[in-house]
């Protein structure tokens, strides 16, 4: 795999291979193994042109756990502020010696451009409203660890789906692995496609195994209507109407009191911190895959 730009292009076998490798890493981490030096001495460049907490930090730790050297570009203090283009910036970082590039950018498809310009392996860490493949992998690993298999699970994705790169990748991954997906939200937040959809969260709550909540992407120009919370917030009462074994997920950052209540975010159904923890082993697997490591 020369690049991990989206979920669609890696296919079912690619997805399965990454998840199996990530599961092995997760088991090894739990067993106390700290470093698996398959990328010993290789240089991983983290190029985050948009804010990030969990994705950036987990790529950083994943690379270090593989024995790589991590080179972090801080865009706010880089020559981008002096008018340098994205192309010149990434060619510079590549020439300095970054061998694998992890790219987050507000423009869809910029990680693909970085791959073309530099010829280096690239992982898309979130591009505009397009894709976020390693988040989808972390979510699938979380679900497999909880349910054993994703095949046949019913997953409601709720909220600002049209602006969500997380949803873009997750829908592809879940359907490839045999889950049924239903999109839930106000019309203006649902993309145009032929997936099952609903504007009524209460109608689907008791039917699904997973409620996957999304933040409203205000930085991409969308505002919630006044009745958003009353219609779509997953609060205690709604969570009580879910199936006994059903779980709540969210890629973070969460906005407590908007799409999710405080009690539900911290409650027994919440897998939010499991998703975060799964971010490290899946990013280890992704870095190895684009780094040409056979497993
Ligand atoms: C998301 C992102 O940046 O795409 N967060 C993440 O990576 N876990 C989701 C978001 O910003 O809402």
């Amino acid at each position: 795999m020369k690049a991990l730009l989206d979920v669609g292009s890696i296919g079912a076998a690619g997805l399965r291979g990454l998840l199996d490798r990530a599961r092995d890493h997760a088991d090894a981490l739990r067993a106390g193994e700290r470093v698996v030096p398959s990328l010993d001495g290789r240089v991983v460049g983290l190029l985050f042109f948009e804010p990030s907490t969990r994705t950036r930090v987990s790529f950083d730790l994943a690379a270090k756990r593989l024995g790589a050297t991590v080179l972090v570009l801080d865009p706010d203090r880089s020559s981008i502020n002096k008018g340098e283009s994205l192309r010149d910036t990434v060619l510079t970082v590549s020439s300095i010696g970054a061998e694998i590039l992890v790219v987050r950018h507000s423009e869809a498809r910029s990680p693909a451009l970085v791959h073309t310009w530099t010829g280096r392996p690239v992982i898309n860490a979130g591009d505009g409203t397009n894709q976020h493949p390693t988040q989808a992998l972390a979510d699938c690993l979380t679900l497999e660890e909880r349910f054993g298999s994703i095949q046949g699970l019913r997953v409601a994705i709720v909220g600002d789906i049209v602006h969500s790169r997380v949803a873009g990748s997750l829908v592809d991954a879940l359907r490839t692995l045999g889950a049924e997906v239903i999109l839930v939200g106000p019309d203006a937040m649902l993309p145009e496609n032929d997936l099952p959809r609903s504007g009524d969260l209460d109608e689907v709550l008791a039917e699904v195994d997973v409620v996957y909540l999304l933040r409203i992407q205000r930085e991409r120009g969308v505002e919630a209507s006044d009745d958003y919370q009353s219609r779509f917030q997953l609060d205690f009462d709604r969570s009580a109407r879910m199936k006994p074994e059903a779980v709540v997920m969210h890629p973070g950052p969460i906005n407590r009191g908007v799409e999710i209540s405080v009690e539900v975010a911290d409650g027994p159904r919440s897998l939010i911190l499991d998703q975060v923890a799964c971010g490290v082993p899946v990013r280890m697997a992704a870095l190895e895959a684009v780094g040409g490591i056979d497993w």
Side-chain angles (χ1 to χ4, degrees):
M1 195 181 290
K2 294 206 159 40
L4 176 55
L5 301 174
D6 53 43
V7 168
S9 59
I10 60 175
L15 193 57
R16 189 67 266 149
L18 283 166
L19 285 170
D20 289 346
R21 179 65 173 176
R23 162 101 50 130
D24 289 346
H25 282 309
D27 290 342
L29 290 174
R30 277 190 287 262
E33 222 166 303
R34 289 173 171 269
V35 179
V36 180
S38 55
L39 291 184
D40 190 24
R42 305 270 291 274
V43 181
V44 173
L46 302 185
L47 284 64
F48 280 68
F49 299 96
E50 261 196 353
S52 173
T53 302
R54 50 222 108 219
T55 306
R56 182 173 45 84
V57 171
S58 58
F59 265 115
D60 193 340
L61 186 57
K64 286 170 179 155
R65 287 206 189 276
L66 295 171
T69 298
V70 180
L71 191 153
V72 182
L73 179 80
D74 178 354
D76 291 340
R77 291 194 291 156
S78 76
S79 295
I80 288 174
N81 288 333
K82 302 180 192 168
E84 190 163 61
S85 69
L86 177 63
R87 183 171 181 277
D88 288 329
T89 302
V90 299
L91 285 172
T92 300
V93 173
S94 168
S95 299
I96 285 168
E99 301 167 70
I100 297 173
L101 302 173
V102 178
V103 181
R104 167 170 288 195
H105 200 281
S106 57
E107 290 287 323
R109 279 163 267 281
S110 26
L113 286 175
V114 172
H115 181 51
T116 306
W117 291 330
T118 61
R120 299 283 199 187
V122 169
I123 299 178
N124 177 3
D127 61 331
T129 60
N130 184 38
Q131 286 269 315
H132 191 352
T134 59
Q135 180 66 46
L137 286 164
D139 298 337
C140 289
L141 182 62
T142 306
L143 283 171
E144 290 192 342
E145 295 209 324
R146 171 55 67 108
F147 292 102
S149 166
I150 287 173
Q151 179 73 43
L153 288 181
R154 300 194 73 198
V155 182
I157 303 180
V158 185
D160 182 12
I161 298 166
V162 74
H163 296 101
S164 172
R165 56 197 177 203
V166 169
S169 289
L170 184 63
V171 167
D172 292 345
L174 288 173
R175 296 183 81 208
T176 302
L177 296 167
E180 258 179 70
V181 176
I182 173 161
L183 308 181
V184 181
D187 275 348
M189 292 186 183
L190 299 183
E192 280 178 28
N193 58 30
D194 49 18
L195 286 173
R197 61 193 51 226
S198 172
D200 184 354
L201 177 58
D202 294 304
E203 177 187 278
V204 303
L205 264 184
E207 307 289 314
V208 296
D209 304 291
V210 183
V211 176
Y212 192 105
L213 300 162
L214 293 169
R215 179 178 71 85
I216 296 164
Q217 305 263 318
R218 297 207 160 83
E219 73 275 30
R220 302 191 207 281
V222 61
E223 276 307 324
S225 58
D226 292 342
D227 63 356
Y228 187 85
Q229 279 156 243
S230 64
R231 290 177 65 197
F232 297 106
Q233 183 188 97
L234 189 65
D235 58 14
F236 182 80
D237 288 346
R238 286 197 167 112
S239 128
R241 280 185 268 132
M242 291 166 62
K243 288 190 200 173
E245 304 302 323
V247 297
V248 175
M249 298 175 75
H250 192 309
I254 61 176
N255 288 154
R256 287 171 188 261
V258 183
E259 70 274 11
I260 188 166
S261 74
V262 174
E263 310 92 288
V264 175
D266 298 330
R269 294 188 188 278
S270 171
L271 295 185
I272 296 172
L273 293 177
D274 302 73
Q275 292 170 263
V276 176
C278 283
V280 176
V282 301
R283 289 177 176 115
M284 291 171 76
L287 286 165
E288 289 180 315
V290 302
I293 306 299
D294 284 328
W295 56 64

